[in-house]
Amino acid sequence: MKSAVETLDPTKVKLSVEVTYDELKPSIEHAYQHIAEQVTVPGFRKGKVPPRIIDQRVGRPAVIEHAVNEGLSGFYAEAVRDNKLRPMGQPEVEVTQVPGLVPAAAGEEGELHFTAEVEVRPEITLPALDGLSVTVDDVEVSDEDVDARLDALRERFGSLVGVDRPAQSGDFVVIDLAATIGDEVVDQVSGTSYQIGSGNMLEGLDEALTGLSSGETTTFETVLVGGDRKGETANVTVTATAVKERQLPEVDDEFAQLASEFDTIDELKADLREQAGRIKASNQAVQARDLLVEKLTTETEIPVPAGVVEAEVHRHLESEGRLEDDEHRAEVQEQAQSALRNQILLDTLAEQLDIKVSQTELLDYLVSASRQYGMDPNTFITTLDQQGQIPAMVAEVARSKALAVSLRKVAVVDGSGAAVDLSEFIGTDEEDAALEQAEVTPAADAATDFSAVASGEDSADEKA
């Protein structure tokens, strides 16, 4: 099979493919077999109709069309591999020549020719990592940080107590609520507890409840943000049936013993300070990652395939039923372009760094993802495998790992210019080398067999 590539623009190529008759012949033979099983010809059993009879009854063109349709995707995939292309969208295929539509002598049957225009990952040039630096925030744990964590812990052990006063921010109010448009009640709740300031129900509810005492009623207007009447203005009547405040336990040794394994409040505060420090150190790693991506995208010209963006925008808007919302379309388009730009960047980075994903790393990622969906790990992995999504998961792990490896090569410093050690969060080259002694999967070739994991063996549960 011959193939050639013509670059149409940085993100689109035209692939021209020539397939010999001998290469197409298995598909033609399968076409005859498949058609023989479908047609009924007197005197012949199904599946036993000779090719010459099929040519007479069905026609040679139908056989060739069946064979071309069957073999085209395989020939296209082979040409993509041969030319080391990285498609990012579906190809637009045009068949420009088909083999002879009538039987011919060997060597005279003709060839299948087709072209495929497809958007591909562009070639980009990344700056040298060892010449880059990012500056992250200092890890400074203040007394306020400790107090905030202590207050959050106290709230977990607090209790709601009814108060005889107007409601104020932070109070919990038990409400009866009805939203109407005209004479129609479009939303109604009763006996619902709502914390003033949370802002998770209706716009304007916080202001309406503030200053309201138990038994009092007020009304306000709001724009509905969900349901069949989304976007319409409704009149809302709300009644406070009870006002409660959260009373927090005293900060003393007794509370420390209640809320932790420590005997004294000083020990508890010391532990909370360590926790805050660990979280801030983790935040440094996240900040360094985001800053590195920002720096790389700023210093790299990354053309984005317009067709891929448009397909994603259409899919997103269609799922929301907002295909005609031009303002929202512009927002989604910007988000899609940014996401695709980052994907191209990280995929290129993973390739240049020769990132490999071990089964252990992939399994850890899948188990973590299964928890987010509230699914059993084995069920989750089996579902992804059946849907052909495992390669996409490998790519996600490879992108994340590429960033971690990149952060080991750039200079990460704090505000004072001191080097920041992120090895706890991004690993080390030595750890990666140890993993490579086990079974590894190249990020660019996600053909790993996860049947053992998906079949219900103990490995996924053990990793969990």
Side-chain angles (χ1 to χ4, degrees):
M1 190 181 77
K2 299 178 183 178
S3 61
V5 176
E6 176 188 354
T7 300
L8 303 179
D9 62 46
T11 63
K12 194 171 189 178
V13 300
K14 181 178 181 179
L15 190 61
S16 299
V17 183
E18 299 177 2
V19 183
T20 67
Y21 184 84
D22 285 342
E23 289 171 316
L24 183 62
K25 193 173 181 180
S27 296
I28 294 177
E29 292 173 348
H30 186 270
Y32 276 118
Q33 180 182 348
H34 185 265
I35 294 173
E37 293 172 350
Q38 302 298 314
V39 298
T40 300
V41 179
F44 297 95
R45 289 180 297 166
K46 279 196 172 184
K48 300 297 182 180
V49 184
R52 62 181 179 81
I53 301 299
I54 291 176
D55 285 347
Q56 294 172 3
R57 292 299 186 98
V58 179
R60 176 77 169 179
V63 176
I64 296 297
E65 181 181 5
H66 189 293
V68 169
N69 289 338
E70 178 190 75
L72 206 57
S73 60
F75 298 133
Y76 166 75
E78 183 179 346
V80 165
R81 289 192 297 271
D82 289 347
N83 291 277
K84 295 181 172 58
L85 299 178
R86 305 174 187 85
M88 298 194 73
Q90 294 299 317
E92 295 179 5
V93 178
E94 179 183 1
V95 176
T96 57
Q97 178 180 315
V98 295
L101 298 181
V102 295
E108 299 179 5
E109 299 90 347
E111 298 181 337
L112 167 66
H113 292 185
F114 67 91
T115 62
E117 292 188 8
V118 63
E119 290 185 306
V120 295
R121 196 183 86 197
E123 298 289 340
I124 61 176
T125 303
L126 299 175
L129 294 172
D130 55 10
L132 300 179
S133 68
V134 294
T135 303
V136 296
D137 296 335
D138 296 337
V139 173
E140 295 180 354
V141 180
S142 65
D143 291 341
E144 289 74 15
D145 293 326
V146 176
D147 290 341
R149 298 188 68 79
L150 183 60
D151 287 343
L153 188 59
R154 292 171 67 203
E155 287 185 0
R156 289 172 52 190
F157 290 87
S159 57
L160 296 180
V161 178
V163 292
D164 185 16
R165 59 164 174 77
Q168 58 191 29
S169 180
D171 284 345
F172 289 79
V173 184
V174 181
I175 60 173
D176 295 336
L177 178 148
T180 59
I181 297 179
D183 296 330
E184 180 185 357
V185 177
V186 296
D187 194 10
Q188 190 169 12
V189 296
S190 179
T192 297
S193 179
Y194 175 78
Q195 185 178 22
I196 298 178
S198 61
N200 57 9
M201 281 190 69
L202 293 173
E203 185 177 351
L205 181 59
D206 290 334
E207 293 79 2
L209 290 176
T210 300
L212 211 62
S213 297
S214 177
E216 293 184 339
T217 300
T218 189
T219 60
F220 64 99
E221 286 189 349
T222 190
V223 176
L224 300 178
V225 295
D228 296 337
R229 309 299 290 270
K230 178 181 178 181
E232 297 185 44
T233 299
N235 291 313
V236 180
T237 300
V238 60
T239 300
T241 61
V243 178
K244 301 179 181 181
E245 67 176 5
R246 175 177 277 152
Q247 291 187 353
L248 304 180
E250 294 294 329
V251 180
D252 52 23
D253 293 346
E254 184 178 347
F255 171 68
Q257 295 163 16
L258 171 68
S260 71
E261 71 273 25
F262 302 107
D263 294 326
T264 68
I265 193 62
D266 289 338
E267 291 174 320
L268 174 57
K269 285 184 176 181
D271 182 67
L272 293 176
R273 186 175 293 276
E274 289 183 11
Q275 291 180 28
R278 287 195 297 271
I279 290 174
K280 289 203 170 189
S282 175
N283 290 342
Q284 277 187 323
V286 174
Q287 186 184 16
R289 177 200 66 191
D290 294 344
L291 289 172
L292 178 57
V293 171
E294 181 181 351
K295 185 178 286 287
L296 289 173
T297 52
T298 300
E299 299 186 12
T300 308
E301 184 178 351
I302 307 177
V304 176
V308 177
V309 172
E310 180 55 34
E312 173 59 23
V313 170
H314 184 87
R315 183 202 63 77
H316 183 102
L317 294 178
E318 187 175 42
S319 69
E320 295 182 338
R322 301 175 67 177
L323 285 172
E324 306 303 321
D325 189 338
D326 292 338
E327 183 176 349
H328 187 49
R329 174 180 290 273
E331 295 175 0
V332 175
Q333 186 172 35
E334 184 176 350
Q335 293 168 359
Q337 287 175 336
S338 178
L340 192 56
R341 191 173 291 111
N342 285 348
Q343 178 182 319
I344 293 169
L345 170 72
L346 296 179
D347 284 344
T348 302
L349 197 61
E351 189 174 279
Q352 291 188 2
L353 294 172
D354 192 25
I355 295 299
K356 294 179 174 60
V357 176
S358 71
Q359 289 197 21
T360 298
E361 290 169 321
L362 178 58
L363 188 55
D364 287 345
Y365 175 83
L366 293 174
V367 170
S368 177
S370 72
R371 291 182 184 138
Q372 295 179 11
Y373 287 96
M375 293 179 63
D376 170 74
N378 288 322
T379 303
F380 181 72
I381 294 171
T382 300
T383 302
L384 289 178
D385 192 30
Q386 292 171 345
Q387 296 175 348
Q389 293 297 309
I390 294 295
M393 299 299 102
V394 174
E396 280 297 317
V397 178
R399 292 174 191 133
S400 178
K401 188 173 179 179
L403 265 179
V405 173
S406 298
L407 283 173
R408 301 173 199 165
K409 301 180 182 299
V410 306
V412 181
V413 297
D414 61 20
S416 63
V420 176
D421 181 8
L422 298 177
S423 58
E424 179 183 353
F425 309 101
I426 64 176
T428 65
D429 292 340
E430 291 73 21
E431 290 171 345
D432 285 352
L435 276 176
E436 288 181 11
Q437 301 304 314
E439 190 172 2
V440 237
T441 300
D445 182 17
T448 312
D449 179 11
F450 291 94
S451 57
V453 176
S455 66
E457 294 186 3
D458 294 335
S459 56
D461 292 328
E462 291 172 357
K463 292 295 179 184

